[in-house]
């Protein structure tokens, strides 16, 4: 029940409004009832916000270009995404979260969505050894450029990204 | 004070140095860093400031063993878990457990560690660490899971205190809960000094009193990173340099307990590596002054 309260803002609102009704509705008994009823709603909100902040922090590190492009709208869009989707699981949850957020932006035709960054993220999550993409939004000097993205894996270096622009080539891991 | 040292010339160009009396030598903890991608090249360059390294098990579940072998060749390595959710009743996730064990074996881990927390239940995976009620029931769950993890990995296990904005009433105070947990499970405590500091500020208690309620013999390792303060609340964002009051708390802990290692646990906003090196050096100096 504690996990569900931390997960779901609506449940916290119902809990805050009427604890007795909440306990009855979810059939809590004995020590569990006592424990849940003793929780401080403000602390509960803060803990839930903390979870969201940590989750967001992981996503921003995985898709920095997209996040920067979203600017002041980033937080609102991330909250909208969180409330419209299930929380990802497994040890790859942060990468899956970032992937799902990118898909959310794409689905909602958000202009700042970066296909090239999303491609790289998907490659890192997957198990594919080699992948090619032709994209129009690779960034050079803050300008979008047409480019071919080449992704591959090596045993020694892990995942490698090479980007071939018109007349120039840049690479980074 | 110094130890008695004998120096002799064994053959031309070879000098033998032997420490024959060690009573006056002080033992200070190893000082190391959490291995992260942005500082990987620096860590692999084997700088003098790094004595040991901690890796996060989940970061290596998908990777080959070459990087792990390279690390374990350079340093004593500890393996830190984030996702075993030791506080969740029921069985541990066998797949995660196997992957954790593989990583620990790959680096021949000197220690393994996990959090005193839950990250998921049967209903939902919250993805991050959450507090447990300090009850007999939770204690029993943690003891069972800690024993299972140690049995599986056959390595010393350290359990770590977390930050929490939420206080849940239970049967024990936090130090009492930690003492019972370490005694019953046969584990050590990985004391996150930053988490202790943050909790003491957010929940208004004295961290030194808290520290002295924990059996000193349990505290074997320290985690530390700078805290942040925003809108009246203290946070563990793992993105700030270590503040002076945290160095003071480290000194108190090292003076009090037989700490074997200190890990700087930076996760983001990485500064130039010379700044990280300076933090590690200051940690070592802090330990020397404490012992």
């Amino acid at each position: 029940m504690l996990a569900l309260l931390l997960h779901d803002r609506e449940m916290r609102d119902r809990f805050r409004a009427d604890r007795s009704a909440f306990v009855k509705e979810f059939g809590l008994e004995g020590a569990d009832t006592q424990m849940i009823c003793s929780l401080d709603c403000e602390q509960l909100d803060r803990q839930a916000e903390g979870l969201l902040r940590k989750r967001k922090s992981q996503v921003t590190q995985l898709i920095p270009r997209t996040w920067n492009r979203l600017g002041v709208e980033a937080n609102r869009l991330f909250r909208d995404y969180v409330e419209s989707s299930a929380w990802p699981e497994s040890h790859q949850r942060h990468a899956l979260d970032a992937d799902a957020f990118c898909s959310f932006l794409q689905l909602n035709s958000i202009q700042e969505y970066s296909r090239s960054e999303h491609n790289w993220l998907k490659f890192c999550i997957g198990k594919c050894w080699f992948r090619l993409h032709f994209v129009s939004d690779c960034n050079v000097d803050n300008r979008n450029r047409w480019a071919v993205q080449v992704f591959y894996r090596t045993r020694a270096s892990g995942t490698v990204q090479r980007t071939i622009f018109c007349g120039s080539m840049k690479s980074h891991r | 004070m110094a130890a008695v040292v004998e120096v002799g010339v064994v053959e031309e160009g070879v000098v033998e140095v032997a420490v024959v009396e060690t009573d006056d030598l002080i033992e200070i903890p190893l000082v190391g860093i959490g291995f992260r991608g942005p500082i990987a090249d620096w860590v692999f360059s084997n700088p003098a400031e790094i004595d040991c390294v901690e890796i996060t098990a989940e970061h290596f579940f998908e990777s080959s063993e070459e990087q792990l072998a390279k690390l374990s060749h350079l340093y004593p390595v500890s393996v830190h878990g984030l996702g075993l959710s030791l506080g969740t009743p029921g069985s541990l996730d066998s797949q995660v457990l196997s992957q954790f064990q593989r990583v620990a074996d790959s680096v021949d881990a000197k220690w393994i560690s996990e959090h005193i927390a839950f990250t998921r239940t049967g209903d939902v995976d919250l993805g991050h660490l959450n507090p447990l009620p300090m009850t007999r029931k939770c204690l029993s769950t943690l003891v069972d899971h800690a024993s299972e993890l140690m049995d599986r990995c056959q390595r010393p296990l350290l359990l770590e205190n977390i930050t929490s904005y939420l206080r849940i009433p239970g049967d024990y105070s936090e130090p009492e809960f930690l003492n019972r947990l370490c005694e019953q499970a046969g584990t050590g405590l990985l004391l996150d000094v930053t988490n202790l500091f943050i909790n003491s500020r957010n929940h208004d208690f004295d961290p030194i009193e808290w520290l002295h309620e924990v059996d000193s013999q349990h505290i074997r390792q320290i985690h530390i990173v700078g805290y942040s303060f925003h809108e009246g609340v203290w946070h563990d964002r793992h993105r700030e340099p270590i503040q002076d009051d945290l160095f003071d708390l480290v000194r108190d802990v090292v003076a009090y307990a037989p700490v074997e290692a200190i890990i700087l646990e930076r996760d983001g906003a990485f500064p130039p590596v010379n700044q990280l090196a300076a933090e590690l050096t200051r940690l070592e100096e802090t330990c020397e002054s404490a012992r």
Side-chain angles (χ1 to χ4, degrees):
Chain A
M1 182 49 64
L2 176 58
L4 289 173
L5 278 169
L6 291 170
H7 175 252
D8 190 330
R9 194 165 56 175
E10 269 183 33
M11 274 182 87
R12 288 199 299 281
D13 289 341
R14 280 156 63 193
F15 175 68
R16 194 185 341 263
D18 188 343
R19 291 180 186 217
S20 312
F22 182 88
V23 163
K24 203 177 282 179
E25 183 184 343
F26 287 94
L28 294 177
E29 289 174 350
D32 288 342
T33 308
Q34 210 177 342
M35 190 268 283
I36 291 294
C37 285
S38 69
L39 295 176
D40 179 313
C41 287
E42 196 182 321
Q43 290 185 2
L44 202 55
D45 283 339
R46 200 174 288 159
Q47 182 73 18
E49 283 297 319
L51 288 173
L52 192 62
R53 193 174 49 250
K54 285 180 178 175
R55 191 174 158 190
K56 192 171 68 183
S57 164
Q58 297 286 342
V59 168
T60 58
Q61 287 181 48
L62 289 161
I63 49 168
R65 184 162 174 240
T66 304
W67 196 266
N68 287 335
R69 284 169 64 158
L70 290 170
V72 291
E73 284 295 289
N75 285 326
R76 182 188 63 77
L77 285 164
F78 189 74
R79 192 174 286 276
D80 290 349
Y81 151 71
V82 164
E83 289 182 357
S84 67
S85 61
W87 290 38
E89 297 180 9
S90 92
H91 65 279
Q92 285 187 307
R93 62 173 67 85
H94 303 310
L96 294 171
D97 212 9
D99 176 32
F101 180 53
C102 286
S103 297
F104 169 86
L105 297 175
Q106 186 181 21
L107 193 70
N108 288 282
S109 307
I110 304 296
Q111 263 191 337
E112 288 77 12
Y113 164 76
S114 168
R115 179 176 294 280
S116 53
E117 194 166 54
H118 195 186
N119 286 342
W120 172 240
L121 181 67
K122 283 198 282 196
F123 179 75
C124 292
I125 296 169
K127 296 198 183 299
C128 201
W129 282 89
F130 179 80
R131 219 169 168 87
L132 277 176
H133 291 277
F134 188 51
V135 289
S136 61
D137 68 345
C138 271
N139 186 268
V140 183
D141 299 329
N142 291 323
R143 287 176 54 203
N144 284 341
R145 292 268 299 272
W146 287 94
V148 176
Q149 293 180 291
V150 184
F151 306 145
Y152 57 93
R153 284 183 161 81
T154 67
R155 283 194 191 282
S157 314
T159 49
V160 179
Q161 174 178 183
R162 292 190 186 280
T163 309
I164 305 167
F165 297 97
C166 295
S168 67
M169 181 171 172
K170 295 199 171 190
S171 71
H172 54 276
R173 205 177 294 155
Chain B
M1 290 193 289
V4 176
V5 176
E6 287 180 352
V7 180
V9 178
V10 177
E11 58 185 86
E12 192 177 344
V14 179
V15 179
E16 193 174 76
V17 179
V19 179
V20 292
E21 281 181 31
T22 58
D23 290 352
D24 295 333
L25 282 181
I26 52 167
E27 266 188 44
I28 63 163
L30 300 175
V31 176
I33 197 159
F35 182 83
R36 305 288 185 270
I39 55 167
D41 290 344
W42 178 56
V43 174
F44 280 123
S45 73
N46 198 11
E49 292 85 359
I50 300 179
D51 300 328
C52 60
V53 162
E54 179 189 88
I55 60 169
T56 300
E58 284 80 356
H59 295 175
F60 290 89
F61 281 1
E62 300 289 328
S63 67
S64 74
E65 293 180 8
E66 281 179 38
Q67 210 177 28
L68 294 174
K70 207 169 149 188
L71 265 181
S72 64
H73 182 69
L74 292 172
Y75 305 103
V77 180
S78 51
V79 173
H80 191 50
L82 292 173
L84 279 166
S85 197
L86 297 182
T88 303
S91 308
L92 290 175
D93 185 320
S94 59
Q95 198 185 347
V96 177
L97 196 54
S98 296
Q99 287 168 312
F100 187 100
Q101 185 196 0
R102 181 188 71 82
V103 175
D105 288 345
S106 297
V107 292
D108 191 17
K110 189 171 165 66
W111 304 275
I112 53 172
S113 55
E114 245 293 355
H115 298 87
I116 302 163
F118 78 93
T119 59
R120 63 170 179 276
T121 63
D123 300 312
V124 63
D125 189 336
L126 295 170
H128 290 278
L129 306 165
N130 291 283
L132 295 162
M134 307 278 168
T135 59
R136 289 178 187 84
K137 198 171 152 191
C138 270
L139 180 63
S140 164
T141 301
L142 281 168
V143 168
D144 289 349
H145 286 164
S147 304
E148 187 180 348
L149 181 56
M150 271 191 298
D151 287 348
R152 184 70 177 259
C153 294
Q154 293 293 306
R155 295 171 196 280
L157 172 64
L158 307 176
L159 296 173
E160 181 181 3
N161 58 311
I162 66 163
T163 49
S164 170
Y165 304 110
L166 182 62
R167 282 315 223 199
I168 311 171
D171 302 322
Y172 310 109
S173 68
E174 190 177 16
E176 193 182 356
F177 188 83
L178 298 179
N179 286 336
R180 286 175 185 263
L181 175 58
C182 290
E183 279 156 23
Q184 291 179 28
T187 67
L189 182 65
L190 195 180
L191 179 62
D192 191 312
V193 165
T194 310
N195 290 351
L196 169 59
F197 182 89
I198 288 171
N199 284 340
S200 75
R201 289 294 187 273
N202 285 336
H203 300 293
D204 195 24
F205 66 87
D206 181 349
I208 302 297
E209 272 179 30
W210 185 101
L211 173 67
H212 287 272
E213 285 173 35
V214 175
D215 183 338
S216 62
Q217 294 307 307
H218 294 322
I219 304 172
R220 311 314 292 258
Q221 205 178 94
I222 288 176
H223 269 181
I224 187 161
V225 69
Y227 54 75
S228 60
F229 182 70
H230 182 63
E231 293 181 350
V233 183
W234 304 75
H235 303 281
D236 62 331
R237 301 190 320 154
H238 292 225
R239 298 166 64 87
E240 286 79 16
I242 305 169
Q243 291 89 351
D244 287 347
D245 34 18
L246 289 175
F247 279 109
D248 292 343
L249 193 49
V250 166
R251 184 179 295 109
D252 290 327
V253 176
V254 172
Y256 175 65
V259 176
E260 294 169 21
I262 300 183
I263 301 293
L264 173 59
E265 207 186 18
R266 189 83 176 236
D267 286 338
F270 286 93
V273 292
N274 62 340
Q275 287 180 31
L276 293 175
E279 282 194 308
L280 294 174
T281 302
R282 189 169 166 197
L283 279 172
E284 189 167 312
E285 289 165 358
T286 303
C287 293
E288 281 170 2
S289 70
R291 294 266 167 94

